[in-house]
Short mmCIF file of all heavy atoms in Angstrom, two decimals:
data_model
loop_
_atom_site.label_atom_id
_atom_site.label_comp_id
_atom_site.label_asym_id
_atom_site.label_seq_id
_atom_site.Cartn_x
_atom_site.Cartn_y
_atom_site.Cartn_z
N ALA A 1 154.01 88.29 137.79
CA ALA A 1 154.83 88.06 136.61
C ALA A 1 154.44 89.00 135.47
O ALA A 1 155.31 89.53 134.77
CB ALA A 1 154.72 86.61 136.17
N ALA A 2 153.15 89.20 135.28
CA ALA A 2 152.71 90.06 134.18
C ALA A 2 153.19 91.49 134.37
O ALA A 2 153.65 92.15 133.42
CB ALA A 2 151.18 90.02 134.06
N GLY A 3 153.11 92.01 135.60
CA GLY A 3 153.58 93.36 135.87
C GLY A 3 155.07 93.51 135.63
O GLY A 3 155.54 94.52 135.07
N ALA A 4 155.85 92.50 136.06
CA ALA A 4 157.29 92.55 135.83
C ALA A 4 157.60 92.48 134.34
O ALA A 4 158.51 93.16 133.85
CB ALA A 4 157.97 91.40 136.57
N ALA A 5 156.82 91.66 133.59
CA ALA A 5 157.05 91.54 132.15
C ALA A 5 156.77 92.86 131.45
O ALA A 5 157.50 93.26 130.54
CB ALA A 5 156.18 90.43 131.58
N ILE A 6 155.72 93.57 131.86
CA ILE A 6 155.40 94.87 131.25
C ILE A 6 156.54 95.86 131.49
O ILE A 6 156.98 96.56 130.57
CB ILE A 6 154.07 95.40 131.82
CG1 ILE A 6 152.90 94.59 131.26
CG2 ILE A 6 153.89 96.88 131.49
CD1 ILE A 6 151.56 94.92 131.89
N GLY A 7 157.02 95.94 132.72
CA GLY A 7 158.11 96.85 133.02
C GLY A 7 159.37 96.49 132.25
O GLY A 7 160.09 97.38 131.73
N LEU A 8 159.67 95.21 132.14
CA LEU A 8 160.86 94.77 131.42
C LEU A 8 160.73 95.05 129.92
O LEU A 8 161.68 95.49 129.26
CB LEU A 8 161.10 93.28 131.67
CG LEU A 8 162.37 92.68 131.08
CD1 LEU A 8 163.62 93.38 131.62
CD2 LEU A 8 162.45 91.18 131.37
N LEU A 9 159.51 94.83 129.38
CA LEU A 9 159.28 95.11 127.97
C LEU A 9 159.52 96.58 127.65
O LEU A 9 160.13 96.92 126.63
CB LEU A 9 157.84 94.73 127.59
CG LEU A 9 157.61 93.32 127.05
CD1 LEU A 9 156.12 93.10 126.82
CD2 LEU A 9 158.39 93.09 125.77
N ASP A 10 159.04 97.45 128.51
CA ASP A 10 159.23 98.88 128.28
C ASP A 10 160.71 99.24 128.25
O ASP A 10 161.14 100.08 127.44
CB ASP A 10 158.50 99.69 129.35
CG ASP A 10 156.99 99.61 129.21
OD1 ASP A 10 156.51 99.28 128.10
OD2 ASP A 10 156.29 99.88 130.20
N LEU A 11 161.49 98.63 129.13
CA LEU A 11 162.93 98.89 129.13
C LEU A 11 163.59 98.38 127.85
O LEU A 11 164.42 99.07 127.23
CB LEU A 11 163.58 98.26 130.34
CG LEU A 11 163.32 98.90 131.71
CD1 LEU A 11 163.98 98.09 132.81
CD2 LEU A 11 163.86 100.33 131.73
N LEU A 12 163.23 97.16 127.47
CA LEU A 12 163.86 96.56 126.29
C LEU A 12 163.46 97.27 125.01
O LEU A 12 164.23 97.29 124.03
CB LEU A 12 163.50 95.07 126.21
CG LEU A 12 164.05 94.17 127.32
CD1 LEU A 12 163.50 92.75 127.18
CD2 LEU A 12 165.57 94.14 127.30
N LEU A 13 162.25 97.85 124.99
CA LEU A 13 161.77 98.53 123.79
C LEU A 13 162.06 100.03 123.81
O LEU A 13 161.62 100.76 122.90
CB LEU A 13 160.25 98.32 123.64
CG LEU A 13 159.83 96.92 123.16
CD1 LEU A 13 158.32 96.73 123.33
CD2 LEU A 13 160.24 96.70 121.70
N ALA A 14 162.81 100.49 124.80
CA ALA A 14 163.09 101.93 124.89
C ALA A 14 163.82 102.44 123.66
O ALA A 14 163.64 103.59 123.25
CB ALA A 14 163.91 102.21 126.15
N SER A 15 164.67 101.58 123.05
CA SER A 15 165.38 101.99 121.85
C SER A 15 164.75 101.43 120.59
O SER A 15 165.38 101.40 119.53
CB SER A 15 166.85 101.54 121.93
OG SER A 15 166.94 100.14 122.14
N GLY A 16 163.49 101.00 120.69
CA GLY A 16 162.77 100.51 119.52
C GLY A 16 162.85 99.01 119.38
O GLY A 16 163.58 98.32 120.10
N GLY A 17 162.08 98.49 118.44
CA GLY A 17 162.06 97.05 118.18
C GLY A 17 160.89 96.69 117.31
O GLY A 17 159.81 97.30 117.41
N ASP A 18 161.09 95.72 116.44
CA ASP A 18 160.04 95.30 115.51
C ASP A 18 159.30 94.06 115.97
O ASP A 18 158.14 93.85 115.63
CB ASP A 18 160.63 95.03 114.12
CG ASP A 18 161.27 96.26 113.51
OD1 ASP A 18 160.70 97.35 113.66
OD2 ASP A 18 162.35 96.12 112.90
N LEU A 19 159.99 93.21 116.74
CA LEU A 19 159.40 91.94 117.13
C LEU A 19 159.74 91.63 118.57
O LEU A 19 160.90 91.71 118.98
CB LEU A 19 159.92 90.81 116.23
CG LEU A 19 159.50 89.38 116.60
CD1 LEU A 19 157.98 89.20 116.45
CD2 LEU A 19 160.25 88.36 115.76
N VAL A 20 158.71 91.27 119.35
CA VAL A 20 158.90 90.81 120.72
C VAL A 20 158.53 89.33 120.77
O VAL A 20 157.46 88.93 120.30
CB VAL A 20 158.02 91.60 121.71
CG1 VAL A 20 158.11 90.97 123.11
CG2 VAL A 20 158.44 93.05 121.75
N THR A 21 159.42 88.51 121.33
CA THR A 21 159.15 87.08 121.49
C THR A 21 159.09 86.78 122.99
O THR A 21 160.02 87.14 123.73
CB THR A 21 160.26 86.23 120.84
OG1 THR A 21 160.34 86.55 119.45
CG2 THR A 21 159.97 84.75 121.01
N VAL A 22 158.02 86.14 123.41
CA VAL A 22 157.85 85.78 124.82
C VAL A 22 157.69 84.26 124.90
O VAL A 22 156.80 83.69 124.26
CB VAL A 22 156.62 86.48 125.44
CG1 VAL A 22 156.45 86.03 126.89
CG2 VAL A 22 156.77 87.99 125.35
N LEU A 23 158.55 83.64 125.68
CA LEU A 23 158.47 82.20 125.91
C LEU A 23 157.96 81.97 127.33
O LEU A 23 158.55 82.47 128.29
CB LEU A 23 159.84 81.55 125.73
CG LEU A 23 160.55 81.82 124.39
CD1 LEU A 23 161.86 81.04 124.32
CD2 LEU A 23 159.66 81.47 123.21
N ILE A 24 156.86 81.23 127.45
CA ILE A 24 156.19 81.02 128.73
C ILE A 24 156.61 79.67 129.30
O ILE A 24 156.46 78.63 128.66
CB ILE A 24 154.66 81.08 128.56
CG1 ILE A 24 154.26 82.42 127.95
CG2 ILE A 24 153.96 80.85 129.88
CD1 ILE A 24 152.80 82.54 127.61
N GLY A 25 157.17 79.70 130.50
CA GLY A 25 157.73 78.50 131.11
C GLY A 25 156.76 77.73 131.97
O GLY A 25 155.57 78.07 132.10
N ALA A 26 157.29 76.67 132.60
CA ALA A 26 156.47 75.78 133.41
C ALA A 26 156.01 76.44 134.69
O ALA A 26 155.07 75.96 135.34
CB ALA A 26 157.27 74.52 133.75
N GLY A 27 156.62 77.57 135.10
CA GLY A 27 156.22 78.25 136.32
C GLY A 27 154.84 78.85 136.24
O GLY A 27 154.21 79.14 137.27
N ILE A 28 154.32 79.06 135.05
CA ILE A 28 152.92 79.47 134.88
C ILE A 28 152.15 78.21 134.55
O ILE A 28 152.18 77.71 133.43
CB ILE A 28 152.79 80.54 133.78
CG1 ILE A 28 153.59 81.78 134.18
CG2 ILE A 28 151.34 80.89 133.52
CD1 ILE A 28 153.54 82.91 133.18
N ASP A 29 151.43 77.69 135.55
CA ASP A 29 150.98 76.31 135.50
C ASP A 29 149.88 76.03 134.49
O ASP A 29 149.95 75.09 133.73
CB ASP A 29 150.50 75.87 136.89
CG ASP A 29 151.61 75.92 137.92
OD1 ASP A 29 152.76 75.67 137.53
OD2 ASP A 29 151.34 76.23 139.09
N GLU A 30 148.86 76.83 134.50
CA GLU A 30 147.67 76.50 133.70
C GLU A 30 147.70 77.19 132.35
O GLU A 30 148.24 78.29 132.18
CB GLU A 30 146.41 76.93 134.45
CG GLU A 30 146.26 76.28 135.82
CD GLU A 30 146.04 74.79 135.74
OE1 GLU A 30 145.53 74.35 134.67
OE2 GLU A 30 146.38 74.08 136.69
N ASP A 31 147.10 76.52 131.35
CA ASP A 31 147.00 77.12 130.03
C ASP A 31 146.24 78.44 130.09
O ASP A 31 146.56 79.39 129.37
CB ASP A 31 146.30 76.16 129.06
CG ASP A 31 147.19 75.00 128.66
OD1 ASP A 31 148.43 75.13 128.82
OD2 ASP A 31 146.67 73.98 128.19
N ALA A 32 145.24 78.48 130.96
CA ALA A 32 144.45 79.71 131.08
C ALA A 32 145.32 80.85 131.61
O ALA A 32 145.22 81.99 131.14
CB ALA A 32 143.26 79.48 132.01
N ASP A 33 146.20 80.54 132.56
CA ASP A 33 147.10 81.57 133.09
C ASP A 33 148.06 82.04 132.01
O ASP A 33 148.35 83.25 131.89
CB ASP A 33 147.89 81.02 134.27
CG ASP A 33 146.99 80.73 135.47
OD1 ASP A 33 145.90 81.32 135.54
OD2 ASP A 33 147.39 79.92 136.33
N ALA A 34 148.57 81.09 131.21
CA ALA A 34 149.49 81.45 130.14
C ALA A 34 148.79 82.34 129.12
O ALA A 34 149.34 83.32 128.63
CB ALA A 34 150.04 80.19 129.46
N THR A 35 147.54 81.98 128.79
CA THR A 35 146.79 82.79 127.84
C THR A 35 146.55 84.19 128.39
O THR A 35 146.66 85.19 127.67
CB THR A 35 145.45 82.12 127.51
OG1 THR A 35 145.71 80.82 126.96
CG2 THR A 35 144.64 82.94 126.53
N ALA A 36 146.24 84.25 129.68
CA ALA A 36 145.99 85.55 130.30
C ALA A 36 147.23 86.43 130.26
O ALA A 36 147.15 87.62 129.94
CB ALA A 36 145.51 85.35 131.74
N VAL A 37 148.40 85.86 130.59
CA VAL A 37 149.64 86.63 130.53
C VAL A 37 149.89 87.10 129.10
O VAL A 37 150.26 88.27 128.86
CB VAL A 37 150.83 85.79 131.04
CG1 VAL A 37 152.15 86.50 130.75
CG2 VAL A 37 150.69 85.55 132.54
N GLY A 38 149.70 86.21 128.13
CA GLY A 38 149.89 86.58 126.74
C GLY A 38 148.98 87.70 126.31
O GLY A 38 149.41 88.63 125.60
N ASP A 39 147.71 87.64 126.75
CA ASP A 39 146.75 88.70 126.38
C ASP A 39 147.14 90.04 127.00
O ASP A 39 147.04 91.10 126.36
CB ASP A 39 145.36 88.30 126.83
CG ASP A 39 144.78 87.15 126.02
OD1 ASP A 39 145.32 86.88 124.92
OD2 ASP A 39 143.81 86.52 126.49
N ILE A 40 147.57 90.02 128.27
CA ILE A 40 147.97 91.25 128.94
C ILE A 40 149.15 91.91 128.20
O ILE A 40 149.15 93.12 127.95
CB ILE A 40 148.34 90.97 130.41
CG1 ILE A 40 147.09 90.58 131.21
CG2 ILE A 40 149.02 92.18 131.04
CD1 ILE A 40 147.40 90.05 132.60
N LEU A 41 150.14 91.11 127.84
CA LEU A 41 151.31 91.65 127.16
C LEU A 41 150.97 92.13 125.75
O LEU A 41 151.47 93.17 125.29
CB LEU A 41 152.43 90.60 127.10
CG LEU A 41 152.98 90.14 128.45
CD1 LEU A 41 154.11 89.15 128.24
CD2 LEU A 41 153.46 91.32 129.27
#
């Protein structure tokens, strides 16, 4: 998921952007996993 998010972010930010909002769903089970994804992004 983190790798796909990085690739998608790069596409969405290709034309610039001031703010990125990421909402983490129930598919990432543990708080530690959610924190790790957030840190990577």
Side-chain angles (χ1 to χ4, degrees):
I6 288 173
L8 185 59
L9 268 176
D10 290 339
L11 288 177
L12 294 174
L13 285 168
S15 56
D18 298 320
L19 174 65
V20 173
T21 301
V22 178
L23 305 183
I24 303 174
I28 299 180
D29 298 327
E30 301 294 335
D31 286 341
D33 293 338
T35 301
V37 170
D39 290 342
I40 291 170
L41 297 182

